[in-house]
Amino acid sequence: MDGLRVVVAGAGGRMGQALIGAVASDPDTHLVGALDRDGAEVLGRDCGALSGLGEIGIAITSDPLPLFAACDAVLDFTVPEASLAYAELTAQARLVHVIGTTGFDAAHEEKIRAAGRHARIIKSGNMSLGVNLLAALVRRAAAALGPDYDLEVLEMHHRHKVDAPSGTALLLGQAAAEGRGVDLDAASVRVRDGHTGARQEGTIGFATLRGGSVVGEHSVILAGEGERVELAHRAQDRSIFARGAVKAALWGFDKKPGLYTMADVLGLH
């Protein structure tokens, strides 16, 4: 069988199942393995049957070593601790490692950058092609309008999401900060509660909503005197993230080791 040989990590989760479907439907990729954490209820189950494809003869395992030895790329939407462990292994095997995991801290990010010296890592808070185009538009709008326009990032996700702000919200906030030439950590306001005083000029605000089964909704608001500009993206199905991840893996196959983003994949720089 021809095509990019892919392993899906977090295969028992909703995103993992979407990734398995995306790999199966792409003519340039084929699935060679499925991973999940130790103790997961899905271990030993056929990943195709779990994903609604019917049995495909690939059981979900918790041991990455034999799978990484027989693949070209790993699609990883898991948790930071798992992604870091996988990054060490993908660096050793010099694989393509597509990371859609969110919730990394600064120390985690440094370890990912180190792994990128040997692996080809494509990492993004959102693998959607539309969201990454939105980020490019936000960067340009923030640069053009400047700090006279108050900038707020609003996001909503399903009740089960564990990190906030979302990786996508931070991606959009980072795009805005780059457009303005400021440091996001210094400019961002994550919480407002009580008597906060007037809004400080040049800050980038974040508002987080959680509830129901919302896949992902993001808006960037640039509010000036007498007018407001809004840029938005609404995800209706997780398959958009899965298709983006597959596109990223195919793009990364012939690249040099390094840490890339979806903006690199789409040529938006």
Side-chain angles (χ1 to χ4, degrees):
M1 185 181 297
D2 296 328
L4 193 75
R5 300 170 299 167
V6 177
V7 168
V8 170
R14 287 170 293 183
M15 264 310 305
Q17 293 171 38
L19 288 166
I20 289 167
V23 173
S25 64
D26 193 295
D28 295 320
T29 62
H30 70 273
L31 191 71
V32 296
L35 281 167
D36 215 309
R37 60 179 174 80
D38 286 330
E41 294 181 359
V42 296
L43 294 181
R45 293 184 60 181
D46 187 286
C47 67
L50 188 66
S51 304
L53 303 176
E55 293 197 0
I56 59 175
I58 297 177
I60 300 174
T61 178
S62 61
D63 184 4
L65 291 178
L67 300 186
F68 288 8
C71 79
D72 303 307
V74 178
L75 306 185
D76 171 15
F77 287 63
T78 55
V79 296
E81 294 75 16
S83 291
L84 291 176
Y86 294 145
E88 290 185 9
L89 297 176
T90 58
Q92 293 173 20
R94 298 181 181 271
L95 301 176
V96 177
H97 188 178
V98 178
I99 302 178
T101 305
T102 59
F104 293 104
D105 61 25
H108 295 155
E109 297 284 2
E110 182 55 40
K111 291 180 180 178
I112 295 293
R113 281 191 290 272
R117 290 197 286 266
H118 302 287
R120 288 152 286 168
I121 296 178
I122 302 103
K123 179 179 175 293
S124 178
N126 193 304
M127 293 288 168
S128 156
L129 308 186
V131 160
N132 283 278
L133 176 59
L134 173 61
L137 296 174
V138 168
R139 187 179 295 107
R140 294 189 66 179
L145 298 177
D148 289 341
Y149 282 69
D150 298 324
L151 200 151
E152 297 284 318
V153 181
L154 172 66
E155 59 107 337
M156 183 170 185
H157 283 84
H158 52 87
R159 63 167 64 98
H160 303 290
K161 188 167 179 60
V162 298
D163 58 309
S166 70
T168 305
L170 294 173
L171 182 152
L172 296 172
Q174 181 62 40
E178 290 170 0
R180 288 184 171 177
V182 300
D183 178 70
L184 179 61
D185 290 336
S188 67
V189 175
R190 305 289 181 87
V191 178
R192 296 189 180 102
D193 185 35
H195 186 75
T196 62
R199 189 186 197 280
Q200 184 177 349
E201 183 179 286
T203 55
I204 297 173
F206 290 84
T208 298
L209 305 177
R210 294 287 179 267
S213 59
V214 177
V215 174
E217 298 185 359
H218 297 83
S219 299
V220 177
I221 302 168
L222 297 104
E225 291 294 331
E227 67 177 351
R228 185 171 72 240
V229 177
E230 297 187 21
L231 302 169
H233 180 273
R234 291 172 177 83
Q236 298 174 320
D237 191 287
R238 287 180 179 81
S239 65
I240 64 171
F241 311 128
R243 291 195 299 271
V246 170
K247 181 180 180 72
L250 289 166
W251 176 89
F253 179 67
D254 61 356
K255 299 299 181 292
K256 295 179 180 179
L259 177 57
Y260 302 95
T261 70
M262 283 300 288
D264 295 306
V265 175
L266 299 176
L268 292 175
H269 286 311

